[in-house]
Structure formats: structure tokens, C-alpha cells
Amino acid sequence: MRWLPHPIKDRAEVKHPSDFRNHARGPLRDSGLVARRVLTYRHRLVASPGYLAEHPAPVIPRDLHNHRLLAFSLGKPDHRWTFIRAGHADRETVTFQPHFTMNDYIGLATALMAGSGIGDLPPVVQPEPLRDGRLIEVMPGWQFRTFDLSLVHLGHRHLPQPVRLFKDFATQMTASLFPDLPV
């Protein structure tokens, strides 16, 4: 089996029945592919208690312009976060120039725990800092959209047994590995 790290677009990218990709963005465009959702989650906007002790916590998205914002980036020039007000249909987008960008969520989590500012993290990357209080969710009334993370493979009728076993294992294990994912 091979895990192919970037999101899949169509079956031409999958060369073998045991190739897997993650897929976190809406329905598949190619009907020759099969997706099995293994978890649903949303990123959280977080900061360290130390940062929040020195800076008043934002209450609404536009308050973020008064803070040092840290962002995950793969070299894109513009940064924006779209928030959905919990329990409502209200949406608000904040466009900003980050104080700091990084293309590694573990490094970004480290910077946030050090008190460098406010940033978004997926809960599957180092969930412990939120559990033990080293990071605190900021503006919990305004949330990011949810993602489905799926395993995607070619839709063969006779899927190799190791592939079937891995799909079952991944689906079963995510519940125990990530028991309190925000959705």
C-alpha cells in the first residue's frame, strides 16, 4: 500500500488499487473513485494563556485585526479565515497579513504555545495542548467550517485484502485516537 499525501482530483492520479489519498474537500469529481470518510473535524482558532493574559481576547472576527496572527501557508500571498457563527447562518471573513507563516502545523503549534499570537490548528495535529490547557480556543462562538477526511482509492470490485483491512482499521482507530474532535 502507498499513501499519497496530497488531495486527489481524479482517477488518473491513482495508479494502483492500493494507492490511498486523503480527501478533505467536498464530493469527488470522478465516479471511478471510492471515498470512505474516517473523520469529520474543524480547525480551531487558538492562543496560549500567556498571550491572552497580555492581549484582550477577540470577541468577533474583526477584532482579530488587533492581534498578531499566525498562519499556515503553502506560499499563498493572501490569507483569510472565514468564520461561521455557531448556531446561526452568519458568516464573516477576515483577510489579513500574518505576523508569521509556516508550512508545518506542528511548528505552528509550537509558536502558538510560546505565546507568539493567535492561529488556527487542525485538532488532529497535536491535540494534547488543547486538552491540557497549553492552548485555548479563541472566539468559540465563531467557528471554521468542518472537513470530512476520507480515504480515497480506485473503485475496483475486487479490492486487495490489505487495502480493505487498512480501511477498516483506519475507520475504527480514528474514534479512539481523536475522541473529542470539534465538529
Side-chain angles (χ1 to χ4, degrees):
M1 267 187 293
R2 293 185 314 155
W3 183 268
L4 306 169
H6 58 284
I8 193 168
K9 293 183 181 133
D10 60 42
R11 88 176 86 178
E13 297 180 61
V14 182
K15 307 296 184 203
H16 189 271
S18 61
D19 286 352
F20 272 105
R21 296 251 175 122
N22 62 4
H23 179 73
R25 308 262 184 207
L28 293 170
R29 290 183 250 162
D30 190 327
S31 63
L33 298 171
V34 174
R36 182 168 184 182
R37 188 184 67 200
V38 293
L39 60 96
T40 299
Y41 68 96
R42 68 174 169 81
H43 287 219
R44 288 183 180 165
L45 191 67
V46 298
S48 71
Y51 178 84
L52 293 173
E54 295 178 16
H55 304 87
V59 177
I60 57 175
R62 65 181 152 264
D63 292 347
L64 291 169
H65 290 293
N66 300 321
H67 290 272
R68 291 189 313 241
L69 303 179
L70 284 58
F72 178 85
S73 178
L74 292 173
K76 61 182 181 179
D78 63 331
H79 295 276
R80 68 186 61 185
W81 289 327
T82 299
F83 297 93
I84 302 164
R85 191 169 161 206
H88 298 83
D90 302 345
R91 288 180 176 265
E92 192 168 326
T93 299
V94 174
T95 303
F96 61 96
Q97 287 295 321
H99 177 74
F100 177 77
T101 62
M102 179 178 276
N103 67 353
D104 175 55
Y105 276 120
I106 293 173
L108 190 60
T110 301
L112 289 164
M113 286 184 284
S116 298
I118 296 174
D120 76 299
L121 290 176
V124 295
V125 176
Q126 290 190 324
E128 296 81 20
L130 270 160
R131 289 182 190 147
D132 64 23
R134 289 179 286 159
L135 289 175
I136 298 170
E137 186 170 9
V138 176
M139 294 186 338
W142 289 89
Q143 302 172 346
F144 294 109
R145 72 180 181 95
T146 59
F147 289 93
D148 286 336
L149 182 65
S150 300
L151 298 176
V152 179
H153 60 86
L154 286 173
H156 293 290
R157 285 180 52 184
H158 301 289
L159 202 58
Q161 184 176 13
V163 175
R164 280 194 319 273
L165 291 173
F166 177 76
K167 282 175 57 176
D168 292 342
F169 175 75
T171 302
Q172 291 170 1
M173 289 305 297
T174 55
S176 61
L177 291 171
F178 305 106
D180 55 354
L181 287 178
V183 290

